[in-house]
Amino acid sequence: MKLNAPTLLKIEDIQKKSISKNFELEYAFKENRFLLFSFAVFNGVFSTLKVLMENLKINKKEAYIYLDTLLKEDLINEKTYTSIANSLETTINNTKKQKNYSEEIEEILNNFNKITGKRVKGSKNVKAYIIKHLKNGFKPKDFKQVNIYYSKLWDNPTMKKYIKPSTLYNNKFPDRVEQAKEYFNEIEKYKEDIKKICLKFKKLIFLEFKTESKFYTPNQEDICENIPFSLKEKIAFWRNKYSTEEIINVIELTISSWSKKPSLAKHISLSKILDNKFEERLIVVKRILEKNNQFKNKAIQDVNEWLEEQLKQND
């Protein structure tokens, strides 16, 4: 069907009359959108219509309003309507899928960049790998776990060069997901201990820094609300070697000691206490507790001896 002068005038007239009507979409029929849409339909090449819809951001609802209007005004027949509607549905579905993948690709690569400090945008091959794995049922969470696990596992001079999407997301990706999940499951098994340690830390912080003027560690009291994964890692690492009680003892005595010195108090955090010097702190804490126990036992012994002496005198 050709867009001749009489047809063009009729489309313009429909557009003018329709603007004043109460349509669901306020912008429908305004700014010659209907006229341009109709021109693309009469052009007979769907690719032209597709490009037009993308540029004008004509959505599915608006497109069907225009198609229904053209059919109602006998400007197109049923066959043309069905043909365009079928092409429209196919395009919308494909665009929707591609858009969703684009969002997921961006989420995955942003996570990779955040963890590694890089600025990777992702090559065509990398994006193809990601889409392939997503279609096979993998989720962005799987990619994020791989990003975290392998950025740590390969953080050495020999393997560091392989910390890149093209290696992490290649055909070995399913195996990498399984290895990463094992690592995360190992941390998850200490879930209750992690919670207990965090809650104890929160309580100790509250007791040590009751007044605002003495509070040197802002936001540390909220650490249990959303525990960072890096902190979960640290707790799980030390919990794998030592008991929950030993870890809490170190936290308690460290806070008690550091809170008395402003220069140290401002550095109090659960992450800092559990850093690579944790074992040194544990040794010191064990010595203190051992001395305290010795003093306690000596005090108990002295009391018992005194009681025995009193009993003898009474006899």
Side-chain angles (χ1 to χ4, degrees), residues 1-11 35-36 38-43 70 75:
M1 187 179 295
K2 293 182 179 181
L3 185 62
N4 52 36
T7 304
L8 182 58
L9 289 172
K10 186 173 182 179
I11 291 171
L35 179 63
L36 292 169
S38 301
F39 175 79
V41 169
F42 281 94
N43 184 55
L70 290 173
L75 292 172

Side-chain angles (χ1 to χ4, degrees), residues 14 21 26 32 40 44 46 67 77 92 123 144 154 158 187 192 197 212-213 246 249 264 298 301:
I14 294 169
K21 293 181 180 179
E26 293 180 0
N32 291 321
F46 186 75
L67 274 180
N77 55 33
I92 289 170
S123 65
K144 291 177 182 180
W154 290 351
T158 304
I187 294 173
E192 292 304 315
I197 289 167
E212 188 176 348
S213 61
E246 287 176 309
N249 285 340
L264 293 176
K298 181 67 169 60
Q301 183 180 348

Side-chain angles (χ1 to χ4, degrees), residues 251-296:
I251 293 170
E252 186 171 2
L253 289 178
T254 302
I255 290 176
S256 177
S257 174
W258 289 7
S259 63
K260 293 177 176 62
K261 301 177 182 178
S263 60
L264 293 176
K266 63 183 179 181
H267 295 298
I268 292 177
S269 71
L270 192 49
S271 181
K272 179 65 177 176
I273 295 171
L274 300 176
D275 64 12
N276 56 8
K277 292 186 178 181
F278 173 80
E279 287 182 305
E280 294 178 26
R281 297 185 183 104
L282 180 60
I283 292 171
V284 174
V285 166
K286 283 183 175 180
R287 287 174 182 168
I288 292 172
L289 291 176
E290 187 178 346
K291 287 182 179 180
N292 287 345
N293 286 332
Q294 289 175 353
F295 177 79
K296 183 179 178 181

Side-chain angles (χ1 to χ4, degrees), residues 120-132:
V120 174
K121 292 183 178 180
S123 65
K124 187 176 179 180
N125 287 338
V126 166
K127 290 178 180 178
Y129 273 132
I130 294 175
I131 291 173
K132 173 188 173 183

